[in-house]
Structures are given as structure tokens and as C-alpha cells.
Amino acid sequence: MRAGLPCWGGCQRGESMSEKGNMKETKSIVLVGVGGQGILLASEILAQTAMLEGYDVKTNEVHGMAQRGGSVMAQIRYGQEVHSPLVARNEAHILGALEKVEALRYADYLRPDGLAAVSTQAIMPVTVSSGAAKYPEDAKELLKQAFPRLVYIDAAKIARELGDIRAANIVLLGAISQGLDLALESWEKAIALCVKEKFLEINRRAFAAGRNYS
Amino acid sequence: MALRRLMSGNEALARGAFEAGVTVGAGYPGTPSTEILENLALYKPDVYCEWSPNEKVAFEVAAGASLVGARSIVTMKHVGLNVAADPLMTLSYISVEGGFVACVADDPGMHSSQNEQDTRNYARFAKIPLFEPSDSQEAKDFLKLAMQVSEEFKTPVILRTTTRVSHSRSLVEIGERILSEKKIGLVKDPPRFVPIPVWGRPMRQRVEDRLIRLQAISESSPANRLEWRDRSLGIITSSIAYQYAREVWPQASVLKLGMSYPFPDSMIREFAAEVSNLLVVEELDDFIEQHVRSLGLACRGRDVVPGIMELSVDRLLVSKALMEGRPVEVRKPSAFSDRLPPRPPVLCPGCPHRGVFYALSKKKVVVTGDIGCYSLGAFPPLNRMDSILCMGGGISMAHGLEKAGEPSKVVGIVGDSTFFHSGITGLLDIAYNRGSSTIIVLDNRTTAMTGHQDHPGTGRTLMGEATNAVSIEDIGRACGIERVYVINPYNLDKTSQVIFDEIAAEKPSLIVSRAPCPP
């Protein structure tokens, strides 16, 4: 840091943003789905969890046009010191998908030994309903080919059975939590921080159901 | 340890404005800038915030606040600064009193924009300082630095972010609010504030003198820093490109420009002299590179780093291979990639705009469109928009097509917020200059595209207060439009009938298609 104008306060940053600092490699997670499925909330909870564990964290998502029923992606990276908020191709340790075709669309973000957790849900895009394109009937087979480590989970069904289909995003988050070195109590604390009191119980149960799925 | 929070760049800018003692914030919504003002408004009543009808008005509101000594910010997306360019260029002359920072968010990659333009050029154009944060902590810190520079040098300042800076979240240390000690009140000084030529000419000279003094500040600003590592490669970079460059060349030395205009020439020379190879890594225009070359320094840059669309670690890995003379790895598309149905954004289920587009699909007319959710009416299956230029352009362009003799009837389409933004003057032009176009305002009672912000027609302010809801029909009549109709777009028969009648009419019409954006 160079000397300059006297600061109004708060301008000097600490040497390291991390207190933990025992993880050399930055972990990268990509969450994908369709606008409205709750990808952004899942991303926020994951980032909060990593922050509670003392890591430097960066996340990214695209707003605006992308939300109108389009394909949505959120990216989370945490570690000792994180520079890019974007995950590079072939870099993600985990790909979490709330929709089958979206999992396939972003398959190349996952590293070859990465874990893919994919919800069995199929949501028809306008290109299919208008007859301009076809939804692949063998999506499940394609997923098996694309992802050697695949957790195929009916997150929507599990959420519905728990009482609210909208918690499917948190079921999926529970499923991918098994592939991350973050403590359960941090996950629970993060969920409490990010979710409204009224929906806390269902989201807690949704997370547990996803985490215990095998 | 100070309290740290995970914040988006936009939230951090709002926090920075709060901590810097800002008391007035104005703006017009636009992705990726919208959340700056939305978050600043959460600090009410300490900060007065408003959505102005457009960016020019917002800029002038913030400038007025500055003139009486208040610290102010104005927020907008890159194309918004085109609208506000008029006050920007002359505020540089008349100078500011309270700190004034224009927070402008660029959209490299055009995620939600009609063009890709580099706001950094405006700083050089207006001869004012420029700050470029590369993460949320810097967004907060640089807002405060920018405010400080603004007040000390009485200059407006541009703080430029990009989509990835504004919408990425990272950790931010929370600080205290520091209020200005200035007494609020205009200190009358016409030779300073009135740029009629006799006073404007000395202002012109003061702008140049100020730029020289600002350059000295740039040389010592904590926002500009040298990071010495291996000296075989030195990288000059700014904004989010810094973060990508650090991932791709972790061993390289870096000159990171945070106050990137005026350029710190001595730092640049010192850095260039110490490294064997110099590379400039920047997103969009070759703003830094051109300057580095003008100093007589050899560098790589645009020859290996693309200037179109946003950068990424992936793209810089290609740049690295090119520099090292290695073959570029060509990524093979997966075996199934051509079997995946595209999933473009669409108008929401139940969107009232659909009824109007459906009616228009029955007629052979030319439709000049505008900026908003309804831009999606250009896509299949609606296919009912033939051009888009800019905010408000749908109305004025319709008039131009008609006057030039377009053989089909012409329909201009605009949203409610966009009508108030810059559609009114176009409508006035049609009435004044005896046009005959049919103008449809898709009035869904909100600024929907950017996330439901209020505007002059909604009856509510950003501060949450009730206010007069301006009537679009009344404005149309006041402009001199005689054929004014309000329709319910969910009533398809009636909608078609009114639209067809007005297309056939020889006089100009204003049709307000009114139904609220469904929750």
C-alpha cells in the first residue's frame, strides 16, 4: 500500500481476509437451474456457510434478462484467498442442478473427478413447447455418461413430501453438502441467517433430507 | 476484528456512500446498477434517495445537492450516462462543492444491455477522475476515496463498475459513517457556477489545471498499487480483469490501477522499467494500453487480450498461450451439446404485454420497440418487434419511419417507466409535427425489467411515501394527442379492436394498455 491522501477511515485492507488458511486449493461450485427455482438463495446459503467457516468467499450470478424463465447459473468459490468470482471451465468441484438439461448445458464447468448432483426435474423451455426444439428423452442416460460421479435425486418430490415443493433448492443443497468440507453446524447457522423465520423449519428439514440422501 | 459481511459490489457501494456521509442519492434503474440506490435507500432517513424519471434528471438532482454542500451520488448503467452526458460535461466546468460521485455500471458481455460501451472514456472526455474497484471491499473503499477526491478538488468523479463487480459478492469490513462538516446552503458565486462564455472560458482553463493536480494525486493514491513478484512479466490492469489476471499469472508483478484516470505516469514508467515484458489486461476498450503506448512504452495487450465481450480466466488462458507461442487448446463440444434445447428468457406466464403483441401479430405493420421486458416481444413465438434503439426511441423512431414514407403503418411501443424516462418528448414531437403513428404504452404499473421499482406513475416514492400518480393519458392529451384510449390487454377482442382502429386512423393515437405486472 502506498502512502497517499490520508484516508477517511476503513481504506486499508487486512493482509489476509482469511482466518482459517489451512486450505490451499480454492473450492469452486456451480449451481444451475431455471429462473425462479431458487438458485440464488442456495448460492447465498453456501457462501454464508463458507464465510462462517472463516474462508474468503466470492460468488457471482447474473440478474435481469436471465431471470425471465431463462437458464440461471450461480457460482461460488471459497478458499484462503479467492480472486476470480467466476468458475473456469473444467474447474468446478461440484455441479448442482435443479433441472436435467441445465446440468448437461453446463457440464463442462465440472472437473473430470467432480461431483454432480442433479434433480430429476424436467422443465420444458419455450423452444420445446413451441416445437422448435426437442427435450432429450434420454436425459438420464446422458447425465450418466457426462458425470461419472452422479447423485440423481428427485429434489422436488422430497420437498413436496416435506410440505413445500419450493424447498427443492435446499434439498439439492443438502445433497451437495456431502461433497464439501464444511461443518454441519455452519450450514445450519447459514440457513437460519438467509431464510425467513416462517420458512426456517421446512428448509432445515429439506437440507437434512438432501444431506442424508444416498 | 471489524465486522465483515458478504456483500455484492452494489451493496458495498451503498455502504460506502453511507459511510462517506452521503445525504442525497438519485438514479434511474438499470441492470447492473439498480441495487446501489435500492440499498442506499435502506439508510433512510439518514440519506434521501429518489428514483428520478431519467438519468439526466438524477444527475442534475445530485449535482444540485452538491452545489449546496451535500455529499451526493448518482447511479445508472452505462447507457444511462449517455442520457446524462450533457450535465456531466459542464458539471466538470462549474465544479462541485459537496463530494459528487457518479456510480456507473458497465455491462461487458451485454448480459442485460443493448450495447457494450466503456464508461472509462467518459472520464477522459469530461476531464475528471475515475475509480475502478475490483471487488466489494474496494467498491466500498473507492467510493469513499472518490468522495474525498471530489470534495478536495471540487470535481465530479466517476466510479465505474462492471456486471461482475456489481453482482459478485465478497467480504466487506463495515466502517463508521463520517459526516461532512459543511454547512448546507448555496454560497452565491456566479463566476463559479454560471458558465456563460465570459465566466466559462476561465472555467475551461481551471479544468485543465485541476487535471494536472489530480495526476499528482493519482501517483500517490492508495487505489493504485504495485505488487512486486517475478519481474519477467509485469501486468497493468484494473477492475475485474485484475482478479482474472491474478488467477492466470499468479507469479507476475502487477500494477493495479484503482484510480485509473488521470493516469499515474510515473508509476507506469517505474513499473515498466522494472519488468522484462509488459502486458496490459483490460476489459472492453484499450483505454490503458493506448496511454501506455503514448508514453513510448512497448507492451502487449489487445494483440492477445480480446476487447469484445467480457474477459474470464478461460479467455486469459488463451491469451497466455498466445503470448508463450503455445498452441491454443480448442475445446471440444460435448457429444450431446447440439441436442440441448435452448432456454431463452421469455415474458412471464400471465404477462399482460402478450395480449398487445398477439393483437399486433394479426396486422402487417412495422413495430418500433423500446427497452424493457417487452423487448422479449421480438422473439418467437411473438415475433412482433422490428427495431429497438434506446430508451424512448420506440416513439420517435416510429415518427421518423412514417415521415420517411414507410409503406406500412407504424406502431411505436414503450413501457410506462420508459414513457416517463424519455417517451414524452417523442410523443410531443408526433403531435407537434403532425405525425400519424400509433403509440402504445405497455403500462404494467412498475419498472418490471429491473425488479419492480417505482416511477412517476405508481404513486409511491423510493422513500416509501405516497405521492401523486401521474396519468399517462393526461400527458398524451396535454401534448396535443386527441385520440387517447385505455385498454385492458387481457380482453383480447377489445384490445385488437382498439389497436386495429387506431392503426387505420389518419391521426396520431396514444393507447395505454393497462394491467399490473403479476406478482
Side-chain angles (χ1 to χ4, degrees), chain A residues 127-147:
Chain A
T127 50
V128 172
S129 50
S130 66
K134 272 207 167 74
Y135 197 96
E137 283 168 18
D138 56 344
K140 187 177 175 183
E141 308 318 310
L142 294 176
L143 288 167
K144 282 181 182 164
Q145 287 166 30
F147 306 116

Side-chain angles (χ1 to χ4, degrees), chain B residues 418-438:
Chain B
T418 309
F419 178 78
F420 292 116
H421 178 284
S422 49
I424 298 171
T425 41
L427 194 66
L428 186 62
D429 188 44
I430 289 174
Y432 167 51
N433 283 309
R434 305 167 59 86
S436 66
S437 301
T438 302

Side-chain angles (χ1 to χ4, degrees), chain B residues 120-137:
Chain B
R120 295 180 300 167
N121 295 300
Y122 268 113
R124 185 161 53 190
F125 192 19
K127 301 174 188 291
I128 60 173
L130 169 72
F131 283 82
E132 288 186 87
S134 70
D135 62 17
S136 299
Q137 180 70 49

Side-chain angles (χ1 to χ4, degrees), chain A residues 1-14 16-19 26 33-34 43-44 47-48 51 54-71 75 77 81-91 99 101-102 104-109 122-128 130 133-139 142 145-146, chain B residues 1 4-6 19-20 31 35 71 111-112 134-135 137-138 140-141 144-145 147-149 151-153 163-165 167-173 178 217 219-226 240 242-244 246-247 267 270 310-314 317 331 334-336 339-348 372-373 375-376 379-381 448-451:
Chain A
M1 192 70 70
R2 291 164 63 95
L5 280 170
C7 265
W8 283 358
C11 300
Q12 308 283 326
R13 45 199 316 187
S16 168
M17 295 293 282
S18 167
E19 293 151 31
T26 295
V34 177
S43 160
E44 195 186 334
Q48 281 288 349
M51 184 183 138
Y55 290 114
D56 187 19
V57 188
K58 286 190 178 169
T59 75
N60 186 270
E61 66 235 17
V62 167
H63 301 214
M65 214 35 131
Q67 288 180 335
R68 307 257 166 321
S71 156
Q75 314 184 35
R77 302 183 77 226
E81 189 187 15
V82 179
H83 289 294
S84 170
L86 299 186
V87 176
R89 296 262 180 351
N90 258 324
E91 189 205 340
E99 206 280 342
V101 155
E102 296 312 310
L104 294 167
R105 197 186 309 284
Y106 298 108
D108 63 346
Y109 278 87
I123 298 174
M124 296 302 139
V126 67
T127 50
V128 172
S130 66
K134 272 207 167 74
Y135 197 96
E137 283 168 18
D138 56 344
L142 294 176
Q145 287 166 30
Chain B
M1 180 141 194
R4 286 190 302 157
R5 278 172 48 194
L6 199 57
E19 289 180 13
T31 313
E35 303 84 2
R71 290 179 186 151
H111 295 282
S112 300
S134 70
D135 62 17
Q137 180 70 49
E138 285 189 350
K140 199 196 79 163
D141 293 346
K144 293 162 79 175
L145 277 173
M147 197 59 71
Q148 187 178 12
V149 167
E151 207 159 284
E152 291 186 17
F153 292 83
T163 298
R164 299 302 185 180
V165 174
H167 285 169
S168 291
R169 289 171 200 275
S170 57
L171 299 176
V172 177
E173 285 189 16
I178 298 163
I217 286 300
E219 298 283 2
S220 61
S221 172
N224 293 331
R225 69 169 188 262
L226 293 159
I240 195 71
Y242 164 81
Q243 307 292 359
Y244 304 147
R246 288 287 290 117
E247 302 259 354
M267 270 183 114
E270 178 196 344
E310 65 176 347
L311 296 180
S312 63
V313 166
D314 290 316
L317 284 169
R331 192 179 302 280
S334 59
F336 48 78
R339 293 186 47 209
L340 302 180
R343 194 185 299 275
V346 287
L347 290 172
C348 304
C373 290
S375 303
L376 296 170
F379 290 139
M449 181 91 250
T450 44

Side-chain angles (χ1 to χ4, degrees), chain B residues 328-463:
Chain B
V328 176
E329 229 181 293
V330 182
R331 192 179 302 280
K332 280 195 305 237
S334 59
F336 48 78
S337 61
D338 58 343
R339 293 186 47 209
L340 302 180
R343 194 185 299 275
V346 287
L347 290 172
C348 304
C351 174
H353 298 344
R354 289 171 187 258
V356 170
F357 287 122
Y358 179 75
L360 285 170
S361 69
K362 307 284 182 211
K363 284 280 168 188
K364 189 183 165 293
V365 289
V366 173
V367 180
T368 54
D370 218 298
I371 311 285
C373 290
Y374 45 94
S375 303
L376 296 170
F379 290 139
L382 296 167
N383 296 315
R384 215 55 208 95
M385 198 166 277
D386 299 305
S387 76
I388 289 179
L389 181 60
C390 59
M391 294 283 289
I395 296 182
S396 335
M397 292 262 289
H399 184 59
L401 261 73
E402 181 224 315
K403 288 294 178 187
E406 161 59 38
S408 304
K409 288 281 194 169
V410 183
V411 176
I413 287 203
V414 70
D416 45 342
S417 185
T418 309
F419 178 78
F420 292 116
H421 178 284
S422 49
I424 298 171
T425 41
L427 194 66
L428 186 62
D429 188 44
I430 289 174
Y432 167 51
N433 283 309
R434 305 167 59 86
S436 66
S437 301
T438 302
I439 302 304
I440 303 176
V441 180
L442 298 174
D443 180 13
N444 61 2
R445 317 300 299 151
T446 188
T447 316
M449 181 91 250
T450 44
H452 295 156
Q453 290 75 29
D454 282 298
H455 62 60
T458 65
R460 215 176 62 143
T461 69
L462 178 55
M463 299 297 277

Side-chain angles (χ1 to χ4, degrees), chain B residues 227-261:
Chain B
E227 297 177 2
W228 291 116
R229 283 177 283 270
D230 178 49
R231 301 194 181 201
S232 60
L233 177 65
I235 297 172
I236 305 179
T237 185
S238 73
S239 189
I240 195 71
Y242 164 81
Q243 307 292 359
Y244 304 147
R246 288 287 290 117
E247 302 259 354
V248 174
W249 292 278
Q251 301 309 320
S253 293
V254 170
L255 168 55
K256 182 186 180 301
L257 298 180
M259 181 178 175
S260 40
Y261 193 80

